[in-house]
Amino acid sequence: MPRISEETIRRVADATDIVELVGSYFPLKRAGSAWKALCPFHNEKTPSFQVTPARQSFHCFGCGAGGGVFRFVMDYEHIPFTEAVRRLASKSGIPVIEEAGGSHDDRAHEIRRRLLAIHARASEWFHENLMKSPEADEARQYLKSRGISSPVAKSWQIGFAPDSWDALTDFLKAQKFTNQEIVQSGLVSSKEDSDSSSGRFYARFRGRVMFPIRNDFGEVIAFSGRVLEAEAKTAKYVNSPETPLFNKGRVLYGLDKSKRALIDAKEAIVCEGQLDTISAFEAGVKNVIAPQGTAFTHDQARLLSRFVESVVLCFDSDKAGQEATSRSLPALLECGLTVKVARLPAGSDPDSLIRSEGPEAFRAATASAKDFFDHAIDRTIEAGVLSDPAKTAAATRKLGGFVELISDPVTRDLVIGKICSRFGVNHEAFKAQLRRSKPKGFAQQDSSGEKDVEPPLPLSEGMKVLCRHALMDPESRSWLAENGALRAGEIEEGGLLLQHIVACGAKLEEPGQLGVFVASLPSKLERALASLDTGRTQDELLQTTQEWWLAIAAPSIRSKLQAAILRLRSGNSDPSSQRALREEIQALTDQLKAFVK
């Protein structure tokens, strides 16, 4: 697969100051040569989060989080390494150069790059039409009636697709995109009686208000178009088809804007559509997203579980909205999310509620949301189901299928008790039917979800000193390389970090190379490196390094020397093996002599 070049990583690391980076997310206070703040990765009252500019790293002494500039963005934004590099590169105005892994990878990478470019230009074109074209007057009036002002339309890059078969195609061709690329984007289709090489296409979106769909990095990857005519015979909403960029079951609308708020709130308010999401977000309810469709897929639920612990389903109050709630539940429960349901006034959706009664009414509705099972039990009782034994049995079977998806045994048992108590059902009878009534079409959560973060590498006090000195002092680093530190991991586990530092050698002195080195480390080594205290310096770094390495390495060398001597004295080896043992003994003896000079 294509990878970001080391040169790009070096330039981005060199251009990014970690104090400025972290300070752009939350306030920092100077503490000597370092900076401190409350840790963003766990709750605390006393600041234990430290940023060290000399090492371009951060470390929390409370939870153990730590690393360099890339690691901070990865952990804070919940994004992978490549996206962290891209984000910092964008901030610094540095072009990202990728090195492809083969002809197939080259082709796939180029297709993705071109499709992203098409969507970016198309989104600009749609938006320009909405803001300036006389043909978009009806669209502007519609958005105004829905409370969407020009600044909001600009912020979300809402657009308008003119009622034309070929206007978009002509525009994209003028931007030097090929017929094949234009068709592959999903924005147009070739006519059934022609092939794509003829250039005869029709626009998928015509006479519609256009909502760009972005991935969580903010790149436009698809569109959703809403028809303007209230009584139109065509579909109210049309979405882009599946493309190399877009799989609707893996995208959450608005996530690129709301993910920081989601992390802070630990809860997502899930709306049904784009306008609901935009209205809520612009009204100040920032932790809001929408699925691409009316129900959650397992991929969407797993994506959301990276940011939150619970969700509030805020679908429309009509029958379709209630069905969407039920269809969303299995995926959400299987991903370990707590699910609540907000009850909106009859005939309302989030957008209409905010416009008619104000943001506080919507906040109140979401704040009073009930746990899904309480909500479902209430609705069942309100429907008079308990007066009919057959309907009661059917209701318990339906709820039983959802109960079976709860992974936590204590929570599951509490929910069972609640259902049985309010429905007047025997516990054992209810449990007996659970596995027979699991909703069809949903698999149990697989084991491919995100793993727990590895604990930081344990470092002895002596190894901390050696790693610190090797990082700070080229002379100490060179001496350690000549005296066996390249195999320090054989002495103790913490020696793996020393191995990496020493192996990097003189490259650590090059501008920006420290950031590249930090980014190259496994996560537990990166956190161990960030935990080192480089604020204290000593005049005799090399002398102290030699003393500590002797104290740590000499016992290991003596043990190896004694073992080699015993094997030689046993006389059980052939002449060739004996020569090798004598050479090993001499080398170990020389190492010990070097230590005691």
Side-chain angles (χ1 to χ4, degrees):
M1 291 295 291
R3 65 183 185 276
I4 297 176
S5 70
E6 183 173 311
E7 172 65 14
T8 297
I9 296 172
R10 185 195 65 76
R11 290 185 62 195
V12 173
D14 191 31
T16 305
D17 179 79
I18 195 163
V19 175
E20 292 182 3
L21 172 66
V22 178
S24 69
Y25 289 92
F26 50 81
L28 292 171
K29 291 185 178 180
R30 183 181 285 278
S33 61
W35 299 75
K36 286 189 174 181
L38 291 173
C39 181
F41 304 114
H42 79 290
N43 294 324
E44 62 177 7
K45 295 181 179 179
T46 303
S48 60
F49 180 86
Q50 180 172 293
V51 179
T52 308
R55 198 168 57 249
Q56 287 294 291
S57 67
F58 71 94
H59 176 68
C60 177
F61 294 93
C63 67
V69 291
F70 300 122
R71 173 61 57 184
F72 177 80
V73 176
M74 290 166 65
D75 290 351
Y76 196 86
E77 296 280 3
H78 288 229
I79 58 177
F81 174 74
T82 54
E83 290 192 16
V85 176
R86 290 180 183 279
R87 185 145 313 173
L88 293 180
S90 177
K91 286 185 177 182
S92 302
I94 296 172
V96 175
I97 300 172
E98 294 189 342
E99 299 170 341
S103 58
H104 176 74
D105 290 332
D106 286 345
R107 178 60 181 157
H109 170 62
E110 180 62 13
I111 289 173
R112 176 176 174 79
R113 187 186 71 82
R114 294 289 288 173
L115 291 182
L116 284 172
I118 288 177
H119 280 80
R121 299 307 298 272
S123 185
E124 294 169 359
W125 186 76
F126 288 138
H127 182 66
E128 185 78 2
N129 284 333
L130 175 68
M131 304 305 288
K132 297 182 179 180
S133 172
E135 188 179 349
D137 184 63
E138 184 181 356
R140 289 191 289 269
Q141 293 301 318
Y142 166 76
L143 290 172
K144 184 178 180 180
S145 71
R146 300 296 297 265
I148 304 298
S149 64
S150 292
V152 172
K154 183 177 180 180
S155 176
W156 294 81
Q157 208 172 28
I158 300 172
F160 174 71
D163 192 7
S164 168
W165 293 93
D166 52 15
L168 176 60
T169 304
D170 291 343
F171 168 76
L172 293 175
K173 285 183 177 180
Q175 303 299 309
K176 308 303 182 185
F177 294 109
T178 67
N179 291 346
Q180 184 178 4
E181 290 169 340
I182 295 171
V183 172
Q184 196 168 17
S185 73
L187 293 170
V188 303
S189 298
S190 59
K191 288 187 177 295
E192 294 180 356
D193 60 350
S194 66
D195 59 46
S196 60
S197 62
S198 69
R200 291 189 290 173
F201 308 115
Y202 66 89
R204 183 176 299 275
F205 303 101
R206 302 182 303 279
R208 291 176 180 266
V209 174
M210 299 297 292
F211 298 92
I213 299 171
R214 302 175 186 270
N215 57 23
D216 56 346
F217 186 59
E219 298 166 321
V220 180
I221 57 175
F223 292 91
S224 179
R226 190 195 191 283
V227 72
L228 289 170
E229 297 86 351
E231 303 299 326
K233 296 181 180 180
T234 185
K236 185 177 180 180
Y237 279 93
V238 171
N239 292 328
S240 292
E242 303 258 322
T243 70
L245 293 180
F246 178 60
N247 180 316
K248 71 176 183 179
R250 297 177 181 174
V251 179
L252 295 172
Y253 182 77
L255 182 60
D256 60 304
K257 288 182 176 289
S258 65
K259 57 186 171 182
R260 185 65 250 166
L262 293 174
I263 295 170
D264 290 341
K266 297 182 180 179
E267 182 171 82
I269 296 173
V270 180
C271 296
E272 195 168 321
Q274 288 91 2
L275 281 171
D276 289 333
T277 303
I278 294 171
S279 294
F281 188 92
E282 296 299 331
V285 183
K286 305 292 187 181
N287 57 320
V288 61
I289 54 91
Q292 297 301 316
T294 56
F296 263 88
T297 67
H298 191 77
D299 285 331
Q300 289 171 328
R302 281 180 56 185
L303 174 61
L304 192 57
S305 69
R306 293 168 49 196
F307 302 94
V308 301
E309 298 171 357
S310 65
V311 300
V312 177
L313 296 180
C314 206
F315 294 153
D316 295 356
S317 58
D318 57 14
K319 182 178 179 181
Q322 296 305 314
E323 290 176 352
T325 296
S326 296
R327 292 199 304 274
S328 297
L329 193 67
L332 295 168
L333 289 178
E334 284 184 335
C335 288
L337 291 163
T338 299
V339 182
K340 294 184 281 186
V341 180
R343 296 190 71 170
L344 304 181
S348 295
D349 56 32
D351 174 52
S352 63
L353 181 62
I354 291 170
R355 284 188 288 112
S356 63
E357 300 184 33
E360 291 308 315
F362 180 65
R363 290 181 186 275
T366 56
S368 61
K370 287 187 175 183
D371 174 82
F372 168 79
F373 290 98
D374 287 322
H375 168 81
I377 292 170
D378 288 347
R379 289 185 66 87
T380 301
I381 293 174
E382 290 170 6
V385 167
L386 299 188
S387 62
D388 185 330
K391 291 182 178 179
T392 300
T396 58
R397 282 195 297 272
K398 182 177 180 179
L399 285 176
F402 296 131
V403 170
E404 182 62 21
L405 299 173
I406 302 175
S407 57
D408 181 69
V410 174
T411 302
R412 184 168 59 246
D413 196 57
L414 289 172
V415 171
I416 291 173
K418 185 183 300 183
I419 294 172
C420 292
S421 175
R422 297 192 64 184
F423 281 10
V425 177
N426 178 272
H427 278 228
E428 295 306 317
F430 183 84
K431 289 180 179 180
Q433 73 171 8
L434 282 182
R435 295 192 179 278
R436 297 196 301 270
S437 55
K438 181 178 178 180
K440 296 179 181 180
F442 292 93
Q444 288 284 0
Q445 183 176 2
D446 58 40
S447 59
S448 61
E450 296 182 26
K451 298 179 180 179
D452 293 334
V453 176
E454 290 181 278
L457 187 74
L459 296 176
S460 65
E461 185 59 35
M463 197 57 71
K464 287 180 181 178
V465 172
L466 290 169
C467 289
R468 184 167 64 239
H469 288 188
L471 194 66
M472 298 170 63
D473 181 37
E475 192 177 8
S476 296
R477 191 163 56 246
S478 177
W479 184 90
L480 285 166
E482 295 172 357
N483 287 274
L486 290 171
R487 301 178 66 180
E490 298 177 5
I491 297 173
E492 64 174 74
E493 186 181 5
L496 289 171
L497 178 58
L498 182 62
Q499 277 185 208
H500 279 75
I501 296 172
V502 173
C504 198
K507 291 182 69 177
L508 282 175
E509 305 306 309
E510 300 174 10
Q513 192 61 40
L514 178 60
V516 177
F517 169 68
V518 172
S520 71
L521 293 173
S523 59
K524 67 177 183 178
L525 293 183
E526 185 180 0
R527 286 195 296 279
L529 178 69
S531 70
L532 297 177
D533 179 9
T534 55
R536 296 174 295 174
T537 59
Q538 300 177 7
D539 294 334
E540 299 295 336
L541 288 176
L542 178 58
Q543 179 182 336
T544 309
T545 296
Q546 293 170 341
E547 292 171 354
W548 273 106
W549 182 242
L550 173 63
I552 290 177
S556 175
I557 295 173
R558 289 193 183 98
S559 176
K560 292 178 180 178
L561 178 59
Q562 291 171 2
I565 292 172
L566 288 175
R567 291 200 304 274
L568 181 64
R569 289 176 177 175
S570 69
N572 294 330
S573 53
D574 55 43
S576 177
S577 297
Q578 289 181 3
R579 283 194 301 273
L581 282 170
R582 289 191 182 95
E583 292 174 358
E584 180 183 353
I585 290 169
Q586 185 60 52
L588 292 169
T589 302
D590 290 344
Q591 286 186 44
L592 282 176
K593 287 180 179 179
F595 281 134
V596 297
K597 283 181 180 178

